[in-house]
Amino acid sequence: MGRNILKSSLQNASFSIIFQILFRCITFVLNAFIIRTVGQEVLGIMNVRLLLLESTILFLSKEPIMKACLTDTKSHNWAQVINQIWLSVPITAILSLGLVYVWINVLSPTDEIYISQYRLGCYAIALSCIVEQVTQSVVLVAQSFCFVKLKVVFETIYIVSRTLIFVYLVVKSPNEAINAFSVAQIASAVILCFLYYGFFFWYIDRLNVIKSGKTSGAKKTIFSDMNDFPFTSINDFFPGVMENYERVLNKDLCVLTISFGKQSVIKQVLTEGERYVMTISPVLTFSQQSMYDIVNNLGSLAARFIFRPIEDSAYFYFTQMIKRDEPVAKQDQRHISESATVLSQLCNVVTSIGLIVVVFGQSYSHTVLYLYGGNKLVANYLPVTLLRFHSFAIVLLAINGVTEGYVFATMSNKQLDRYNYVMVIFSVSFLVISYVLTNIFGPVGFILANCVNMLARIIHSLIYINKKYKSTSYKPLEGLVPDRKFIAILVISGVATKLSETFNSSLTLHILIGAVFFVVTLGVWAVENKSLLRLGYDKYRRMSTKND
């Protein structure tokens, strides 16, 4: 591809972080609006039960094929790839039929007044998932050819449109909030589909005009690095249209898809395990589930809008830089050196962020919850306890995201298959531990179970990475060990802010003290990592110069 992989990966991470911040802000405001307008039980039905259905359908049908098709995009036979990505549509339809039946007829029922709305919500989720899968061929092309800003803009429109439609309908009919949720899901999915296809219809038309030489040089600039763009018509995004002199599907991509499919089932259980436990076993009421969901989302802010985009971009970067089925010694050593450096720096960054969250989370959980939800949210001490425990889970989540992303990006097909068996053990253990600890500690048990599983997955990833670079001079895992001065300032900040919380009666002063120590902590980290910051600044300056 003509575009720089590292540059696009960095841009993707940056824009995704901004997008996730926007999305989380909208979600928090929306949750507060729902609680004040229609109550906690409706929020539990939508945010836990229905969104779990959506997550399950999309993750199992989209994730395996998309990950496989993103591997080594420079070598793609795009006719085969388009055929393969469209397999997600019938897979989604089949999954939806089975899962909607389970959600309506097998799982514990809602209250009588919500039954009809809940059923419509299940069908609406299934339909919106199918529409989203119809869009995946153009989404894949946009990501493969580094249309980073396009993705962020369209997904922002998608989230904002869904929110506005929902709020408008709820204000008109507060008693039909779940119906409003259903309409908003379908409408926003259709809007996203039209946006993607509409853009590429225009883009391909303009690109064809430029290739024919019928336009001026000034208008060619935004298309100058897309000479390798293989699509000449919007119809090429549909299966069986592009010329294909080989078999219909790529055998290697099919094998890789199956491997990722097995992995996705297990990873979905690990990712949404507590929601499955809440859904299958009546451990918590819908009202309690909504409160746990609010605190869980608040506690996972760093994980969702910082660590997840970094993980996604790191996965894409490592898939392009490192070949799965070749030993490190036989690959391009410039790529190996750069990828080892990037991995070490990523480990350094995410570990540092996680430790900062742990330290300040112990002293400011009550403050954050009070500012967000007022006395009503902190009247029960459980939310504060949950948020404090979340801070420990976040540092593990941060490390696991980067290390496991590298593992998935560089494992061979055989290694992925073997790892699926390990993931089965993790999944079964997680469910058992979640059930046991939840019955002992209540909602806190979900967080403790997550910590145990994250730690086990991290250990596995560290063993794999260590073996990968054992025969080389590179030691990327050293990035996981913070500098001594940084650890020292974290300890000092933790003690000082805890004393402030205990003995200080002024909320404003407590926040100011925390702000001072937070800035000092960042300053110490910046001094200890001057070379990393200088490298990042140089990359940013070069990117800005090229864009100008």
Side-chain angles (χ1 to χ4, degrees):
M1 259 178 285
R3 301 195 177 191
N4 182 275
I5 298 298
L6 179 57
K7 173 184 173 181
S8 62
S9 298
L10 291 172
Q11 284 183 331
N12 188 41
S14 302
F15 285 122
S16 294
I17 289 172
I18 295 171
F19 170 75
Q20 289 294 337
I21 293 173
L22 173 66
F23 175 66
R24 287 301 130 195
C25 289
I26 292 174
T27 300
F28 286 138
V29 173
L30 190 60
N31 285 346
F33 168 78
I34 295 171
I35 291 175
R36 288 169 173 77
T37 306
V38 296
Q40 297 179 14
E41 186 168 1
V42 172
L43 182 63
I45 293 172
M46 292 188 301
N47 279 15
V48 178
R49 183 68 68 85
L50 292 179
L51 289 185
L52 179 63
L53 174 60
E54 179 188 46
S55 170
T56 304
I57 293 173
L58 288 180
F59 203 94
L60 297 182
S61 59
K62 179 176 74 173
E63 187 86 358
I65 296 179
M66 181 62 80
K67 275 193 170 183
C69 290
L70 279 173
T71 300
D72 194 17
T73 53
K74 292 177 287 187
S75 304
H76 274 340
N77 175 330
W78 278 101
Q80 293 178 334
V81 172
I82 294 299
N83 291 340
Q84 180 135 341
I85 199 70
W86 272 89
L87 290 177
S88 62
V89 176
I91 291 173
T92 300
I94 295 170
L95 277 173
S96 297
L97 286 174
L99 290 173
V100 166
Y101 177 84
V102 171
W103 252 245
I104 293 176
N105 299 294
V106 178
L107 298 180
S108 58
T110 63
D111 289 344
E112 190 69 29
I113 58 174
Y114 300 123
I115 285 181
S116 61
Q117 293 189 60
Y118 171 70
R119 287 176 178 169
L120 177 62
C122 291
Y123 292 126
I125 288 291
L127 181 58
S128 68
C129 288
I130 293 172
V131 173
E132 186 168 338
Q133 297 298 66
V134 169
T135 318
Q136 286 311 297
S137 61
V138 280
V139 172
L140 172 67
V141 171
Q143 188 165 351
S144 298
F145 288 89
C146 305
F147 289 89
V148 178
K149 296 177 184 178
L150 177 78
K151 176 185 175 184
V152 174
V153 170
F154 283 178
E155 290 192 0
T156 300
I157 295 173
Y158 166 70
I159 294 298
V160 171
S161 64
R162 188 175 70 181
T163 303
L164 292 177
I165 293 169
F166 173 76
V167 171
Y168 173 76
L169 294 176
V170 168
V171 170
K172 286 189 65 177
S173 303
N175 294 328
E176 297 186 3
I178 302 176
N179 286 340
F181 173 83
S182 304
V183 173
Q185 286 288 126
I186 296 174
S188 58
V190 171
I191 289 171
L192 184 65
C193 183
F194 275 108
L195 283 172
Y196 269 108
Y197 278 103
F199 170 80
F200 277 102
F201 178 83
W202 168 84
Y203 185 86
I204 292 173
D205 179 68
R206 295 303 302 157
L207 191 60
N208 289 337
V209 170
I210 290 169
K211 287 180 178 180
S212 67
K214 296 179 181 179
T215 187
S216 63
K219 294 182 179 180
K220 293 181 182 180
T221 54
I222 63 170
F223 300 91
S224 59
D225 56 351
M226 298 304 289
N227 292 324
D228 57 348
F229 196 71
F231 303 93
T232 58
S233 167
I234 193 66
N235 294 329
D236 290 345
F237 291 106
F238 294 91
V241 175
M242 294 183 74
E243 288 187 4
N244 182 18
Y245 300 104
E246 302 178 33
R247 62 181 69 189
V248 176
L249 297 174
N250 185 295
K251 182 180 179 181
D252 292 335
L253 286 183
C254 289
V255 172
L256 194 58
T257 298
I258 294 172
S259 297
F260 279 126
K262 298 174 186 176
Q263 189 185 97
S264 294
V265 174
I266 303 161
K267 192 172 182 180
Q268 177 68 5
V269 173
L270 291 173
T271 304
E272 301 282 8
E274 70 269 16
R275 292 177 183 243
Y276 286 119
V277 173
M278 284 189 284
T279 299
I280 297 172
S281 175
V283 178
L284 304 176
T285 65
F286 280 117
S287 179
Q288 291 172 323
Q289 289 177 24
S290 69
M291 295 306 294
Y292 174 82
D293 184 67
I294 290 173
V295 175
N296 183 50
N297 284 332
L298 187 61
S300 301
L301 267 177
R304 292 179 184 274
F305 70 73
I306 296 179
F307 299 136
R308 184 58 189 270
I310 290 175
E311 177 187 347
D312 290 343
S313 297
Y315 173 82
F316 176 70
Y317 168 75
F318 290 128
T319 58
Q320 309 307 306
M321 298 295 288
I322 301 176
K323 297 181 179 179
R324 292 182 180 274
D325 298 311
E326 286 189 20
V328 168
K330 295 182 178 180
Q331 298 190 39
D332 188 328
Q333 291 306 299
R334 290 176 301 172
H335 288 180
I336 298 301
S337 176
E338 182 182 308
S339 61
T341 302
V342 170
L343 178 58
S344 178
Q345 291 170 346
L346 285 175
C347 288
N348 185 342
V349 171
V350 298
T351 302
S352 300
I353 295 173
L355 291 175
I356 290 173
V357 171
V358 169
V359 169
F360 288 91
Q362 304 311 304
S363 303
Y364 288 90
S365 292
H366 185 278
T367 303
V368 170
L369 289 171
Y370 175 76
L371 293 175
Y372 175 65
N375 286 320
K376 185 177 181 181
L377 193 57
V378 296
N380 185 340
Y381 204 71
L382 177 62
V384 178
T385 304
L386 286 172
L387 197 53
R388 286 174 176 166
F389 273 90
H390 259 296
S391 63
F392 290 101
I394 285 170
V395 68
L396 296 176
L397 189 66
I399 297 171
N400 179 71
V402 170
T403 55
E404 197 170 68
Y406 178 88
V407 169
F408 290 155
T410 60
M411 272 186 170
S412 66
N413 290 335
K414 291 183 179 179
Q415 288 174 321
L416 283 170
D417 284 333
R418 286 199 299 267
Y419 187 51
N420 287 332
Y421 295 107
V422 177
M423 292 285 276
V424 168
I425 298 174
F426 288 158
S427 300
V428 173
S429 302
F430 173 70
L431 293 176
V432 173
I433 293 171
S434 293
Y435 185 81
V436 172
L437 293 181
T438 302
N439 281 280
I440 297 174
F441 300 106
V444 175
F446 288 128
I447 303 172
L448 295 176
N450 267 318
C451 289
V452 172
N453 270 278
M454 286 293 171
L455 189 59
R457 290 161 65 180
I458 289 170
I459 292 172
H460 179 276
S461 297
L462 296 184
I463 292 172
Y464 171 85
I465 295 171
N466 189 54
K467 287 182 178 179
K468 189 83 172 176
Y469 290 97
K470 191 174 182 180
S471 59
T472 70
S473 60
Y474 307 114
K475 299 184 183 299
L477 296 179
E478 289 183 352
L480 293 172
V481 182
D483 296 310
R484 293 181 181 179
K485 292 181 181 179
F486 180 65
I487 294 176
I489 192 60
L490 284 176
V491 172
I492 294 171
S493 298
V495 172
T497 53
K498 198 63 183 177
L499 290 173
S500 173
E501 182 186 36
T502 304
F503 299 107
N504 187 6
S505 58
S506 171
L507 179 63
T508 303
L509 182 58
H510 179 52
I511 293 174
L512 287 175
I513 291 172
V516 170
F517 277 97
F518 180 75
V519 171
V520 172
T521 301
L522 289 182
V524 171
W525 184 86
V527 171
E528 293 293 304
N529 294 273
K530 287 184 290 187
S531 60
L532 174 58
L533 292 176
R534 190 179 299 111
L535 176 64
Y537 175 74
D538 290 341
K539 291 276 187 184
Y540 172 78
R541 189 173 59 181
R542 284 198 294 268
M543 286 163 54
S544 300
T545 304
K546 289 179 181 179
N547 290 336
D548 293 339

